[in-house]
Amino acid sequence: MSALTEILPAKGRAIAYSIYGFLGVGLGSIPVYCAATDAITPTWSLGALAVYAFVGAPLFGATAASNTPSE
């Protein structure tokens, strides 16, 4: 058992990953929409997307590490 699986059970991780995924689609769609319509991209959305990406790297890195079999 890894530290990640001890912190959050499988069902909790599935919910967290789903929320994270939907949040990413929502945040990512704002600048795409603005670029497609020549609208000004809100500054808050760029900041939120940057934080989202910053948090995602360690989150999914920990997931990958916890699912890698050790010898």
Side-chain angles (χ1 to χ4, degrees):
M1 215 175 223
S2 69
L4 188 62
T5 57
E6 292 174 11
I7 294 171
L8 208 57
K11 186 173 182 176
R13 286 192 314 273
I15 292 169
Y17 296 149
S18 296
I19 291 170
Y20 188 82
F22 286 120
L23 182 62
V25 169
L27 283 174
S29 65
I30 296 169
V32 170
Y33 172 82
C34 291
T37 60
D38 289 331
I40 297 173
T41 305
T43 305
W44 65 265
S45 71
L46 296 176
L49 196 54
V51 171
Y52 175 84
F54 179 78
V55 170
L59 175 68
F60 290 105
T63 302
S66 71
N67 290 314
T68 303
S70 59
E71 295 181 42

